[in-house]
Amino acid sequence: MAIPGGAHELLIRVGGDIPLDTPRLPAREAAERELSKPMYHENDPNLLSRAMNALWDWLGSLLDSASGVAPGGPLGLVVIALVVVALVAALWWRLGTPHRVPDRPGHLFDEGPRSAEEHRASAEEHAAAERWTEAVQERMRAIVRSLEERALLDPRPGRTADEAASEAARPLPGHADRLRAAAREFDDVTYGGRPGSRRAYQGLHDLDLALRRTKPQLSAASGGTAE
């Protein structure tokens, strides 16, 4: 390999005043100055390339270490990775996309006052178009508005579905569990990000019919008012 001219002159000068054996420290400094010149680094990888190379080297060493302790070596590591991916996919499919549920659900009625029949008609329209989330919401609103129209609930702005179910269970104790389930269904599709379904809507539809046919126990209603 040819020695660059500058380094050659620093190390050996035949017939000159500089001795053949240059002291170690000055020689190293002179060599570093010479080798720091741009002409020796024209083909060096840039900063990004060096960072990527370091990253791949680290990942390679990490995988080598993992394959050394995994049963079956590298093949066992691949099998474990596939199992983990399958489990994550199964959980994602079962639970759906994660959504943040508010600490407290919002109001049951977001729009102006509408009658129970208007909410029922809207629910049926959404159901016919298979918009199950909106159908569930409107049917739950129809249930609560119907109870208000029957004076089993006091009309109160800002009431939540859970509050309505709890209050309605007093004059209608035989439907307490179904009312609470309907409120949870409403909260799930409205605030929890879960899509509505035909089954959920049919459950609220049947509950609406059952409540309309049920004679309330007014002695347990406490005047229809609950706080």
Side-chain angles (χ1 to χ4, degrees), residues 19-199:
L20 183 63
D21 294 328
T22 306
R24 180 176 299 177
L25 183 58
R28 186 179 67 182
E29 293 175 349
E32 288 175 351
R33 285 194 300 271
E34 175 67 22
L35 295 176
S36 65
K37 294 180 179 179
M39 61 180 294
Y40 299 109
H41 302 279
E42 293 177 352
N43 298 320
D44 287 356
N46 57 31
L47 180 60
L48 178 60
S49 298
R50 292 197 298 271
M52 292 300 298
N53 290 336
L55 175 62
W56 287 120
D57 290 341
W58 177 78
L59 289 176
S61 62
L62 183 63
L63 291 175
D64 290 341
S65 300
S67 63
V69 298
L75 180 59
L77 185 63
V78 172
V79 172
I80 293 174
L82 292 176
V83 170
V84 171
V85 171
L87 288 175
V88 171
L91 288 173
W92 192 281
W93 176 82
R94 178 66 180 85
L95 301 178
T97 303
H99 294 272
R100 182 181 180 272
V101 180
D103 295 334
R104 177 178 172 83
H107 300 166
L108 182 63
F109 297 99
D110 296 328
E111 301 176 355
R114 300 171 63 194
S115 68
E117 284 303 321
E118 287 175 323
H119 283 296
R120 289 188 183 105
S122 180
E124 290 297 323
E125 181 179 346
H126 287 305
E130 297 188 351
R131 296 188 294 266
W132 300 115
T133 295
E134 293 84 353
V136 166
Q137 292 170 330
E138 286 299 300
R139 182 59 69 165
M140 184 63 190
R141 290 170 180 144
I143 290 173
V144 176
R145 186 67 79 203
S146 177
L147 295 175
E148 292 177 349
E149 291 173 354
R150 295 169 63 188
L152 300 180
L153 291 177
D154 284 341
R156 176 160 57 85
R159 177 185 276 122
T160 67
D162 288 333
E163 291 169 343
S166 177
E167 296 168 17
R170 299 173 187 177
L172 300 165
H175 297 287
D177 290 342
R178 295 179 68 185
L179 283 165
R180 284 192 291 268
R184 286 195 300 270
E185 197 71 50
F186 177 88
D187 288 343
D188 285 345
V189 303
T190 305
Y191 311 110
R194 180 179 298 175
S197 65
R198 182 190 300 272
R199 178 200 59 77

